[in-house]
């Protein structure tokens, strides 16, 4: 069975930080199509701090580290993304409180917790055109794949889920966040939150040598 | 950019510094969290009332901190919710055994930030309750499940809750006051021009030279419709009808009537609107017991105004009448 | 026209009606003369203080009528002096044996109208004196023999004279207070945009998207120069230097500091200017005893601001501190 | 010796009212070149009332009638013109208080009084590019001509004075009134007040059959 250590999780977060920082302008531009154009900057501002602080964060347990990351999101991520990503890390952290390593099944439970937390926080449901349209099926897919113990296959599977979510939600009208204020104008634009999640996953594939060819234009740049 | 700004990123802390310097003694400023609090809060046995939202709506929110009003408030960047930890620190800064009431205007970002902050505060044993203000009738059949927006009616919720808290009411009572005001207050606004957030440097929306946006949001959100500009009376009538029919307010009601400027409208024009609104209220059999004309909840330099009605009862009249002091001074 | 107006010709009476309706009890409105007076004036043995000028500068002038402030004021059309007979009726409406002090901002039209009105009043045996306010340092070496303009410093003259009159001072004493304030108050303003008088329907002057007018007059009169817009600190520095060097104000002076919005500037921006002005004052060794940020003398929806310094002494501090009430209310 | 009766003076004022009313837009346009464009409207608003009220005004004396006209100016003429024309009529009225008719010499004294009153009121002097640049030399000319008793010749002479004042002041910079606020921009525009005075005089010439050919373009339209 795969067990992910604290160090491995730390590395994964470091890689995700690079993704967010590198895509600051692109993610903001995507948000600018229908939202207020702050998504990339909000997230990158926070992840710059997260990346810088990672080495010195409390590593006594996976949960401890994730709760610290949640705090950094609360402090440094603006807009809706602050409480959304902060809640995600907080719930994942609470679900891995004293663990010094996590199994794929633990990870599935952590993601599920994060998803439930985000839904409770922001009141969004599947189909509201938010990152939950990626995260909800991801959580399901993880639950399904976790028993296999195959981390690479799981990563590939969830990346595909996120990739597809970009195109499947493209024509929806946003019902949450700033993009919802423009109503119909939000149709025909991808949701930046979903693109953000998918990009992180795709970058993890690349980093861990998992071969995946995305379909959404936003991942094929 | 036709604005008085230095580095746009410093706009909010700089204006907050100005508020502090111009109001010595009354307020305390904690720059790290863009948080302003009454120097005399927390006070034992008194409920604290807090708020926090995007900047650009001055005097809401930090400029409504003061005796008989908010105990503390934090500001996010212009038109963006404050970060969660600022909300949390705001609650903590005035936490008392009597508890803290968080008044949240109904915007997704603010709600999520305060919701998480309350969760964090509760986890630390702080007694805290949230209340959502949503007085804007503009987008009634909104697609958007976040529901009606919180706008100028916010002033009355703060004023009444502030007075109740000052009088020593307990947390449930202050919360009930918030509920009562919110249940009886309705607002609708109209914009003639857009506004320019400093960081953006350009207008937040486009609008034709002869157009107005009826039911505008205070961040430039679309309203009910775009229309040709009408004369002041016709505009007031539309706002009045939309607001008055919503509760509905009925003949014999005693009300507070507010014309709120959105930031760029001359004082004289606000009184032209007020004159008509007052007449319409009287024609409808309402007794205008209290009158408010000025800037209470703005959208930077947007030319526009909103009309608010609040149905009163003895308790609310008393709370509105109670002494209060804020950073918006004349003398 | 991006304005809330009905028939432009009715603009002033309509807004005055709004002021009256929003301030029940305090004021009396005589529409024929566009005149507003305190309901409790004339009062025996009390000097009355009056003013009157063009509309569009709200809260100046009729909105500064109230206890401890003006006894009465009349308004002309937007940016035009009131007719002579309105001035005369204003004096007459509050005439007492103690006398009437007329505070005239230094504009040709106002001066002539009040001068003639005073002559008519005197001919009827009314005791009346005039005082000319000219605090605007902008056009120092003006070609124009009418001299410096009267702008936001007017507020301080009214406040101090109003307090003195309320305290029972005689006409010569109140006049001496006006002289003292005027001798110690200096103002300069800057505009980023023009404004739109309702009757004209278009901007009163042209200004480029990246330009400001340094030393603007409150009717759009040209100032010292046209320049590219600078950042808020640089603008404040220029206003502060021009004002501070004019008297000059010296280290150790106790002062009142005012940032006055010209109508279209967001509240937040005024505080950005205030923060810098306050710092500059302190760096210059001035003690800022009283602080004023808001709209005191506007130019319709003009985006812009002015900076005023008033050097204080014990008497003036007392007068500024005295209670007062005007039609500009918050609560 | 010519004696002007109250009725004659009333008629002259009625004719002048027609002049002002007919030129409302033209005078305002002239004021718009360098001033605030209200001169024609301000004056016409007042003279419409004066024309309407003339028949019923107090005719017990020339002075009484003129003082009433002064009051109407005070009430109905806006801008600087209210106190200027109001003062003019007031001083002329005071100088003819109980007279039921006036000689040319009386009239010269009345005009002189009016001029002195206007100078005291507004602080303008000769050369400030105001209607005083017409009125001051008119008063002098009247003083000079009055002893002749020739009303027609006097009217012709003062019309010529006013006519010339238009061109003589055209290139001056206004130092008074709204036009002074535009500084140099007021040069090369005629002063509307001077044109107003000259137009009234020229219309009187026409009305009374006095032959005069004006030189200023503003009178030759
Ligand atoms: N209520 C919500 N629940 C979950 N995700 C949301 C919600 N609102 C917005 N989002 C996600 O956040 C993204 C936008 O983030 P950001 O730009 O930081 O927020 P804001 O809308 O406040 O500007 C959206 O693309 C969407 O995926
Ligand atoms: N101080 C003054 N003394 C005499 N005449 C003046 C004075 N100021 C202006 N005028 C005359 O009045 C005319 C303008 O009148 P009007 O447009 O009513 O005044 P305002 O300048 O207030 O708009 C000018 O053309 C000039 O002849
Ligand atoms: Mg966004
Ligand atoms: Mg945002
Ligand atoms: Mg004029
Ligand atoms: Mg004028």
């Amino acid at each position: 069975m795969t067990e992910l250590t604290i160090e491995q999780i730390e590395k994964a977060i470091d890689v995700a930080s690079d993704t967010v920082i590198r895509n600051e302008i692109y993610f903001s531009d995507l948000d600018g199509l229908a939202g207020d154009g702050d998504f990339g900057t909000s997230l990158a501002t926070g992840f710059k701090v997260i990346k810088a602080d990672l080495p010195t964060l409390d590593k006594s347990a996976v949960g401890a580290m994730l709760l610290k990351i949640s705090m950094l999101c609360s402090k440094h991520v603006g807009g809706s993304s602050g409480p959304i990503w902060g809640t995600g890390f907080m719930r994942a952290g609470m679900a891995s409180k004293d663990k010094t390593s996590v199994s794929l099944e633990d990870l599935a439970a952590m993601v599920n917790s994060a998803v439930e937390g985000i839904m409770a926080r922001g009141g969004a449901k599947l189909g509201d055109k938010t990152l939950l349209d990626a995260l909800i099926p991801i959580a399901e897919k993880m639950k399904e794949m976790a028993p296999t113990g195959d981390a690479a296959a799981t990563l590939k599977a969830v990346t595909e889920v996120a990739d597809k979510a970009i195109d499947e939600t493209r024509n929806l009208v946003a019902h949450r966040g700033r993009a919802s204020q423009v109503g119909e104008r939000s149709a025909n634009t991808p949701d930046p939150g979903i693109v953000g999640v998918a990009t992180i996953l795709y970058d993890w594939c690349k980093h861990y040598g998992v071969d995946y060819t995305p379909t959404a234009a936003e991942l094929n740049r | 950019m036709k604005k008085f700004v230095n580095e746009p990123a410093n706009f909010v802390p700089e204006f907050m510094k100005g508020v502090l310097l111009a109001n010595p003694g009354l307020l305390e400023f904690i720059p790290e969290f863009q948080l302003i609090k009454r120097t005399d809060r927390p006070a034992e046995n008194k409920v604290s009332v807090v708020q926090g939202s995007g900047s650009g709506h001055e005097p809401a929110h930090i400029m409504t901190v003061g005796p008989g009003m908010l105990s503390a408030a934090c500001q996010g960047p212009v038109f963006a919710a404050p970060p969660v930890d600022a909300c949390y620190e705001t609650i903590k800064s005035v936490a008392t055994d009597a508890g803290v009431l968080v008044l949240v205007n109904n915007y997704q970002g603010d709600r999520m930030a305060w919701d998480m902050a309350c969760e964090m505060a509760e986890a630390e044993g702080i007694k805290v309750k949230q209340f959502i203000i949503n007085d804007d009738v503009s987008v009634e059949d909104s697609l958007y499940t976040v529901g009606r927006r919180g706008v100028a009616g916010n002033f009355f919720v703060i004023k009444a809750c502030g007075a109740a808290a000052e009088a020593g009411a307990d947390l449930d009572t202050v919360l009930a006051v918030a509920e009562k005001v919110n249940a009886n207050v309705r607002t609708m606004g109209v914009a003639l021009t857009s506004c320019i957030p400093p960081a953006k440097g350009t207008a937040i929306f486009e609008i034709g030279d002869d157009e107005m946006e009826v039911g505008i949001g205070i961040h430039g959100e679309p309203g009910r419709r775009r229309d040709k500009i009408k004369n002041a009376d016709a505009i007031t009538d539309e706002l009045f009808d939309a607001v008055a029919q919503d509760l509905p307010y009925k003949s014999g009601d005693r009300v507070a009537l507010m014309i709120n400027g959105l930031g760029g409208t001359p004082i004289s024009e606000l009184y032209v609107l007020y004159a008509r609104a007052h007449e319409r209220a009287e024609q409808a059999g309402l007794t205008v017991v209290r009158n408010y004309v000025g800037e209470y909840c703005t959208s930077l330099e947007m030319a526009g105004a909103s009309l608010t009605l609040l149905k009163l009862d003895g308790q609310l009249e008393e709370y509105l009448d109670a002494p209060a002091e804020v950073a918006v001074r004349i003398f």
Side-chain angles (χ1 to χ4, degrees), chain A, chain B:
Chain A
M1 294 301 283
T2 318
E3 278 282 325
L4 300 171
T5 63
I6 293 187
E7 288 69 33
Q8 285 174 312
I9 293 173
E10 180 188 349
K11 180 68 199 168
I13 289 169
D14 185 66
V15 171
S17 302
D18 289 337
T19 302
V20 169
I21 295 164
R22 196 180 64 244
N23 286 289
E24 168 166 357
I25 292 168
Y26 180 63
F27 289 169
S28 278
D29 286 349
L30 285 184
D31 191 30
L33 296 177
D36 58 355
D38 62 352
F39 176 65
T41 307
S42 292
L43 220 54
T45 305
F47 274 91
K48 280 173 196 165
V49 182
I50 291 170
K51 186 178 168 71
D53 287 7
L54 255 186
T56 56
L57 288 185
D58 180 357
K59 302 277 168 44
S60 59
V62 173
M65 182 176 73
L66 294 178
L67 287 175
K68 289 288 174 205
I69 290 173
S70 166
M71 299 284 277
L72 293 176
C73 288
S74 298
K75 200 176 180 72
H76 300 287
V77 182
S80 298
S81 294
I84 290 170
W85 293 64
T87 300
F89 281 112
M90 185 169 76
R91 292 298 144 94
M94 282 159 66
S96 57
K97 207 147 196 189
D98 309 311
K99 295 190 200 293
T100 49
S101 70
V102 292
S103 67
L104 265 189
E105 279 172 313
D106 290 337
L107 203 60
M110 286 157 65
V111 170
N112 195 59
S113 237
V115 168
E116 282 173 353
I118 292 170
M119 289 180 76
R121 182 74 69 216
K125 334 171 286 307
L126 195 69
D128 278 354
K129 196 169 182 175
T130 71
L131 43 70
L132 285 168
D133 287 351
L135 292 182
I136 292 170
I138 284 172
E140 278 164 18
K141 180 62 74 183
M142 284 190 76
K143 195 171 168 193
E144 177 194 323
M145 301 277 294
T148 67
D150 186 342
T154 305
L155 175 56
K156 182 167 179 157
V158 298
T159 304
E160 190 179 358
V161 166
D163 180 13
K164 282 193 175 145
I166 297 175
D167 284 328
E168 280 166 12
T169 58
R170 192 184 299 277
N171 291 317
L172 297 180
V173 171
H175 286 198
R176 289 280 159 178
R178 285 304 176 97
S180 68
Q181 292 164 357
V182 302
E184 302 300 329
R185 272 183 272 166
S186 66
N188 300 318
T189 63
D191 177 65
I194 298 174
V195 174
V197 169
T199 310
I200 290 171
L201 291 170
Y202 182 40
D203 278 5
W204 276 341
C205 286
K206 292 190 224 166
H207 179 77
Y208 296 113
V210 173
D211 193 40
Y212 177 72
T213 311
T215 56
E218 285 73 16
L219 299 184
N220 276 312
R221 291 178 293 132
Chain B
M1 185 169 26
K2 290 278 179 184
K3 297 185 82 67
F4 296 120
V5 278
N6 296 304
E7 199 49 58
N10 298 335
F11 183 73
V12 175
E14 283 179 358
F15 106 72
M16 291 181 78
K17 190 168 92 184
V19 171
L20 259 284
L21 288 171
N23 293 275
L26 186 67
L27 306 172
E28 197 181 315
F29 181 26
I30 300 153
E32 185 183 356
F33 304 111
Q34 298 191 168
L35 156 55
I36 273 180
K37 64 182 281 294
R38 288 174 59 177
T39 45
D40 59 351
R41 285 290 176 281
E44 218 164 340
N45 299 324
K46 298 261 184 181
V47 167
S48 289
V49 184
V50 305
Q51 184 162 82
S53 188
S55 294
H57 309 302
E58 292 67 37
H61 309 268
I62 56 124
M63 292 183 67
T64 44
V65 175
M69 295 286 285
L70 293 177
S71 313
C74 60
Q75 298 272 115
V78 169
F79 293 174
V84 173
D85 77 326
C87 298
Y88 165 72
E89 294 290 342
T90 303
I91 296 169
K92 227 173 96 174
S93 75
V94 292
T96 65
D97 288 348
V100 179
L101 178 63
V102 179
L103 298 174
V104 187
N105 281 305
N106 195 25
Y107 298 96
Q108 183 78 57
D110 292 341
R111 284 183 64 160
M112 288 195 285
W114 283 105
D115 192 57
M116 186 160 177
C118 287
E119 205 174 299
M120 289 161 67
E122 273 171 344
E124 296 207 8
I126 295 174
K127 187 168 158 188
V128 56
K129 295 209 168 166
Q130 293 183 69
F131 181 76
I132 310 290
I133 300 165
N134 62 345
D135 57 311
D136 187 346
V137 308
S138 314
V139 275
E140 293 212 69
D141 309 309
S142 173
L143 266 177
Y144 319 131
T145 42
V146 68
R148 289 180 167 189
R149 304 174 293 224
V151 288
N154 178 44
F155 172 84
F156 292 112
V157 182
I158 294 173
K159 180 69 181 73
C161 289
E166 207 74 46
D170 65 19
L171 185 56
D172 284 335
T173 307
V174 182
L175 178 64
V177 170
E179 275 160 5
K180 192 203 278 183
V181 175
N182 192 59
N184 287 289
V185 71
R186 296 292 188 277
T187 300
M188 191 158 97
V190 59
L192 305 182
T193 68
S194 178
C195 60
I196 304 175
K200 190 165 190 289
T202 55
I204 203 162
F205 63 89
E206 295 301 319
I207 182 162
D209 269 353
D210 57 348
E211 286 182 333
M212 61 179 178
E213 178 79 24
V214 180
I216 188 75
I218 56 171
H219 311 92
E221 302 97 317
R224 291 185 170 185
R225 65 170 205 287
R226 197 54 77 85
D227 200 353
K228 297 288 168 211
I229 294 180
K230 300 203 181 119
N231 74 26
D233 286 351
I235 292 172
T236 312
D237 286 350
E238 173 155 8
L239 297 184
F240 184 85
D241 289 337
V243 165
Q245 288 160 15
D246 191 87
L247 191 59
Y249 298 83
K250 297 182 309 293
S251 182
D253 283 351
R254 291 169 68 80
V255 297
L257 172 61
M258 173 188 280
I259 294 291
N260 167 60
L262 293 182
T265 296
I267 294 172
S268 47
E269 293 180 26
L270 297 180
Y271 281 92
V272 170
L273 301 179
Y274 183 83
R276 178 67 166 204
H278 188 107
E279 280 181 345
R280 287 296 315 276
E282 290 196 333
Q283 282 165 16
L286 309 180
T287 306
V288 181
V289 183
R290 296 190 70 89
N291 7 54
Y292 300 81
V293 188
E295 293 178 344
Y296 293 87
C297 183
T298 62
S299 185
L300 294 169
E301 67 271 72
M302 188 181 286
S306 64
L307 184 155
T308 301
L309 278 174
L310 167 63
K311 183 174 158 182
L312 299 170
D313 63 10
Q315 187 199 36
L316 291 185
E317 284 187 43
E318 200 178 289
Y319 284 151
L320 292 189
D321 208 31
E325 193 185 344
V326 290
V328 192
R329 298 178 309 109
I330 301 161
F331 296 112

